[in-house]
Amino acid sequence: MIDGRPLLFFDSGVGGLSVVGPTRALLPTAPIVYAADSAGFPYGTRTEAEIAARVPALLGRLVERYRPRLVVIACNTASTIALPAVRAALDLPVVGTVPAIKPAAALSTTRVIGVLGTKATVRQPYVDDLAARFAADCTVLRHGSAALVEMAEAALAGTPPDPARLRGELDGLFGQVDGDRIDVIVNACTHFPLLEPEMAAVAPAGVRFVDGGPGIARRIAHLTEGQAWPAAPGPARLVFTRLGTREAAIGARLGDHGFAPAEEL
C-alpha cells in the first residue's frame, strides 16, 4: 500500500539541501518537503534562547500542516541547541545533524582537524563532547563564519562567491596556531558543502572536506526501512517562512532540480 507521507527537512535557509541530495540518492521516490525558516535566518548569529524557543514551535506548525513520517533538522545550529526539545514535543522520529568530527579524525594523518561552522555551533558543549569522544588525539581548531552562510545562500540565488572572501574565511582556521597542519575540515554547517568546490579551490593543496550529509541519509533510510514509498518521484515541496526576493530566486533555480514552485508557510 502506497504511503504518501513525506520526509520533512528543516533548516534556517537552504543549507539542508546538502542533506536532501544524499537522501534522494538512497530513497529516490520519497516525497520531500523542504522548509527554510527564512524569516528567522540566519540562526548562527541568534542566541541559544531564541533558537530553543523558535525551532520547536515552528516545527510543530510544519508537522501539523504536512504530516510527515519523519523530521530531519538539517541544521547543525538548530540540532545542537534544540534537538532534545523538538524530540520531546513531536510524536514521530526526528533526525538531527551532527558535526562529522568522527570521520574527520579517521581521515586525518596530521592529527589536526578544523571545524568550520556558525559561531553558535562551534561554541556548543556538544562539539566539545564530540571532540573528546572521537578526536581525543587530535588538535581540533574551530572557526565560526556567518559570511559563508550568506555566500552559500547568495550562490544558490545566482551570485557566485568571491574567491578572496572565501579564502579570508578559511584563514580563520588556517591562521590559528597549528592551522597550517590542518588536513581535514569538517563542514559543521549544512550550508558549507554547497560551497565545497569553491572552498577546495582556495584551500591549501591536499586539504579534504567532510560533512554529515551521507551519514544522515543512511540514518533516514534505516529509520524508514520497510516502509512503502510511491512508485515514482514527484516534485519536492519548497516552503519558506518568508518568501522574499532572494527566496523567489532560489525557488526559481531549484525548479530545474525537481522542486515545485516555492510556497510560504
Side-chain angles (χ1 to χ4, degrees), residues 40-66:
F41 175 85
Y43 281 0
T45 57
R46 290 184 174 270
T47 67
E48 281 84 347
E50 288 178 295
I51 294 168
R54 185 177 184 88
V55 172
L58 187 52
L59 276 169
R61 290 176 58 199
L62 288 163
V63 167
E64 184 176 1
R65 174 172 291 192
Y66 296 105

Side-chain angles (χ1 to χ4, degrees), residues 177-189:
V177 175
D178 286 331
D180 59 332
R181 296 176 54 215
I182 292 173
D183 62 348
V184 183
I185 291 177
V186 178
N187 279 325
C189 171

Side-chain angles (χ1 to χ4, degrees), residues 47-49 76-82 84 97-99 101 115 118-135 140 142:
T47 67
E48 281 84 347
N76 285 272
T77 301
S79 293
T80 56
I81 295 170
T97 304
V98 176
I101 290 174
V115 177
T118 67
K119 292 180 180 179
T121 293
V122 299
R123 67 174 177 247
Q124 293 305 313
Y126 188 64
V127 178
D128 297 333
D129 179 63
L130 289 172
R133 288 165 58 198
F134 301 118
V140 180
R142 311 181 197 187

Side-chain angles (χ1 to χ4, degrees), residues 184-206:
V184 183
I185 291 177
V186 178
N187 279 325
C189 171
T190 54
H191 278 82
F192 297 170
L194 303 177
L195 296 173
E196 186 174 320
E198 291 85 358
M199 290 195 295
V202 300

Side-chain angles (χ1 to χ4, degrees), residues 148-184:
L148 285 174
V149 177
E150 292 283 356
M151 281 189 267
E153 293 270 325
L156 205 55
T159 302
D162 175 17
R165 287 190 69 202
L166 285 176
R167 190 178 296 108
E169 291 303 313
L170 291 180
D171 282 346
L173 284 175
F174 296 120
Q176 296 182 42
V177 175
D178 286 331
D180 59 332
R181 296 176 54 215
I182 292 173
D183 62 348
V184 183

